[in-house]
Amino acid sequence: AQKVTQAQTEISVVEKEDVTLDCVYETRDTTYYLFWYKQPPSGELVFLIRRNSFDEQNEISGRYSWNFQKSTSSFNFTITASQVVDSAVYFCALSEGGNNNDMRFGAGTRLTVKP
Amino acid sequence: DGGITQSPKYLFRKEGQNVTLSCEQNLNHDAMYWYRQDPGQGLRLIYYSQIVNDFQKGDIAEGYSVSREKKESFPLTVTSAQKNPTAFYLCASSMAGYTEAFFGQGTRLTVV
């Protein structure tokens, strides 16, 4: 069975600090997909990134970067020079079948960035 | 603007009543989903539909029902059989196949 663990329930940082959100997953499949979503106070989830199991390249998008390590079954998310607008709940998710209907979400990490 | 609209934003239900949550999308997406979010937990899938007039149960379908008569609409009914309906409900849609899902802003349902 697939499982996603986000051990950090809440993180609080001061603006301009770097912060890393951890995500550890479990799956028996060799093909799978990992996601990160952001949930701002308005409620909707905003897609940030999708990574398939065959692509271990790290990715950087502006202040966001993702570190995928199959050896440790982790897909961590780093925000560099955090801003108040980054305050949100962040979810990591895993899909084995390649469909949204089998996606499993972690419990989420609430990030608060203080000015 | 293209997107997903959920209504109402807040909903109060008396015990024993059925209530229907609305979800409409104008993204021309084939697939639509309903998730439930409880405090401190990730999203859990209630129902999904890959095509009009067809839908499948997710992990926690008991006490819920859906319909998909139009591509744009996927309403969720929370029935009296759902023993703990107080939660935040999110609707999402995606293109067929494997793409990211787009989410509505959710409906917060409270049983009073």
Side-chain angles (χ1 to χ4, degrees):
Chain A
Q2 59 193 65
K3 182 180 175 182
V4 176
T5 301
Q6 294 180 256
Q8 304 151 307
T9 305
E10 295 190 29
I11 299 176
S12 181
V13 299
V14 177
E15 208 169 19
K16 298 184 182 178
E17 284 186 22
D18 297 347
V19 58
T20 295
L21 309 182
D22 298 333
C23 174
V24 175
Y25 62 91
E26 294 177 29
T27 177
R28 294 179 182 175
D29 282 12
T30 55
T31 302
Y32 53 89
Y33 299 80
L34 295 163
F35 299 77
W36 275 97
Y37 282 90
K38 173 182 180 179
Q39 185 178 40
S42 53
E44 78 279 15
L45 266 69
V46 178
F47 168 83
L48 295 177
I49 190 172
R50 177 183 68 237
R51 172 68 73 228
N52 73 57
S53 53
F54 297 107
D55 182 2
E56 284 193 76
Q57 277 191 336
N58 292 332
E59 180 154 341
I60 298 175
S61 176
R63 295 184 297 107
Y64 295 171
S65 62
W66 290 269
N67 181 256
F68 177 28
Q69 291 196 341
K70 289 176 74 171
S71 60
T72 55
S73 297
S74 65
F75 186 44
N76 296 338
F77 173 31
T78 297
I79 302 175
T80 303
S82 60
Q83 300 176 1
V84 172
V85 293
D86 295 327
S87 297
V89 180
Y90 291 87
F91 290 97
C92 180
L94 165 70
S95 172
E96 292 177 338
N99 297 299
N100 290 321
N101 50 283
D102 76 341
M103 193 176 296
R104 293 292 179 269
F105 287 81
T109 297
R110 180 176 299 277
L111 173 65
T112 302
V113 181
K114 299 178 181 177
Chain B
D1 286 354
I4 300 179
T5 302
Q6 289 187 243
S7 61
K9 191 168 184 178
Y10 299 95
L11 187 57
F12 297 88
R13 188 195 94 170
K14 293 183 179 179
E15 287 196 27
Q17 282 185 338
N18 293 353
V19 289
T20 297
L21 283 58
S22 170
C23 178
E24 303 277 334
Q25 55 100 356
N26 60 4
L27 300 167
N28 199 33
H29 285 169
D30 295 301
M32 297 187 74
Y33 313 84
W34 274 106
Y35 293 92
R36 171 178 170 141
Q37 183 178 7
D38 293 284
Q41 297 189 37
L43 279 66
R44 292 181 290 168
L45 184 64
I46 304 172
Y47 268 99
Y48 65 97
S49 168
Q50 305 275 37
I51 195 171
V52 175
N53 292 322
D54 186 55
F55 48 82
Q56 306 294 328
K57 293 182 179 180
D59 297 325
I60 55 167
E62 185 176 352
Y64 300 97
S65 66
V66 293
S67 63
R68 186 88 187 277
E69 296 177 1
K70 298 186 301 182
K71 189 176 185 178
E72 302 78 21
S73 178
F74 191 40
L76 173 74
T77 297
V78 184
T79 74
S80 57
Q82 171 50 239
K83 296 307 178 188
N84 185 22
T86 295
F88 188 58
Y89 292 88
L90 283 160
C91 179
S93 71
S94 71
M95 292 294 290
Y98 202 68
T99 62
E100 68 267 23
F102 292 81
F103 285 79
Q105 293 198 336
T107 293
R108 189 167 299 281
L109 173 63
T110 304
V111 173
V112 297

